[in-house]
Structures are given as C-alpha cells and as structure tokens.
Amino acid sequence: MSDLTRARWTHVALPTGDLDEAIAFYTSLTPLVVVERFQDADGESAWLSNEGQAETPMVLVLVSFDKDRGGRLGLLTPFAHLGIEVPERADVEEIAERARELGRLHWEPRDMPGPVGYVCALKDPDGNVVEISHNQRVFATVRRLWADPS
C-alpha cells in the first residue's frame, strides 16, 4: 500500500562513472545526504536528498552501471544544471571556496539580475553542473503560490 495520494515529482536520475566519488562530491559540497544504496546485476545506485525532507521529498538518484564504470558521464552541461538554494550569501562563498580548492568550481560567485540572485556553480565528477544560489527565491515563490491560506 502506498501513502501517495496524487502524482508527485520525486527524483532526477544521473549516470555516474564512479558512484563513491559522486557521493563524496554531493555529500561534501551540497546539503544532500545518502538515503539508500542499492546494488544489482547491472551495477549500483544511491539516493540522495535533503536530510529530514519528509513532506515533499525530492531525490537525486546516482546510477553507476558496471558497463560504464570509470567513464565521465555528465549530461547537465554547459548550462543545464541542478539548482540548490542556500539561506545565506556567505553559504555561496563558503561552498565556492571549498569547490575551488577541490578543482570543482565551474562559475565564480556573482550577482545576477533577478530572479537569479547570487550564484556560483560546481562541476561534479562526471561534469554535471550544480548551481548554488542565494536569494533566487525558487523555494519561497513556490511555497507562496501554494501556501495554505489558513
């Protein structure tokens, strides 16, 4: 029996040539944590999400097929990206600094016209772009649109 009462957007799946390296990237440079890991005859995968995100979970599924192991499988490039919004401008700076040290910074932090806000971007081990933003207000805009008026 499912607790799902209506259709929901639940995940984005990306291939990776090195699951452990991809997990290390996402868990050290973004707020994502590992929810589950799986293995079958074709390879292995992991589900990552924001810790404690129970009401409307969104999951990043990383999949490493044995046949593609060791490859660089980035699909979200040069501009296509995953977006993560952080609460403080200083969070963008701090993540950018760590990414710079690891050779993973794709765009330096910059102020962009509305509604983009203050952003930087990272490159995961497969070359996928991950945008880190502050004051982009995607989260707040969607919540305001469908907020419970009571």
Side-chain angles (χ1 to χ4, degrees):
M1 173 97 164
S2 169
D3 0 342
L4 196 63
T5 58
R6 61 184 171 153
R8 296 214 179 260
W9 186 18
T10 60
H11 68 279
V12 172
L14 293 175
T16 181
D18 186 327
L19 184 61
D20 290 329
E21 187 179 16
I23 289 170
F25 168 86
Y26 283 100
T27 58
S28 67
L29 290 173
T30 77
L32 302 180
V33 298
V34 175
V35 175
E36 294 266 2
R37 283 188 78 154
F38 305 93
Q39 191 164 12
D40 63 25
D42 294 321
E44 56 184 327
S45 63
W47 293 358
L48 285 74
S49 189
N50 288 321
E51 188 170 358
Q53 184 176 350
E55 189 175 328
T56 56
M58 182 65 177
V59 173
L60 173 60
V61 177
L62 298 172
V63 180
S64 179
F65 294 107
D66 291 338
K67 67 180 181 60
D68 297 327
R69 196 158 307 221
R72 190 171 163 165
L73 307 173
L75 300 170
L76 299 178
T77 185
F79 175 76
H81 60 271
L82 299 175
I84 296 175
E85 193 170 352
V86 294
E88 302 294 331
R89 184 181 176 96
D91 296 330
V92 174
E93 293 287 339
E94 190 268 332
I95 291 169
E97 180 59 31
R98 285 190 289 143
R100 193 180 295 111
E101 290 169 4
L102 296 170
R104 298 284 181 202
L105 189 62
H106 182 54
W107 309 328
E108 285 289 337
R110 64 186 78 164
D111 282 303
M112 299 294 290
V116 179
Y118 188 61
V119 299
C120 74
L122 322 175
K123 279 257 184 162
D124 80 4
D126 288 283
N128 294 302
V129 177
V130 180
E131 179 191 79
I132 306 295
S133 69
H134 167 67
N135 206 27
Q136 195 168 80
R137 309 203 41 82
V138 171
F139 182 77
T141 299
V142 172
R143 289 196 57 165
R144 185 178 64 246
L145 179 64
W146 289 303
D148 182 5
S150 58

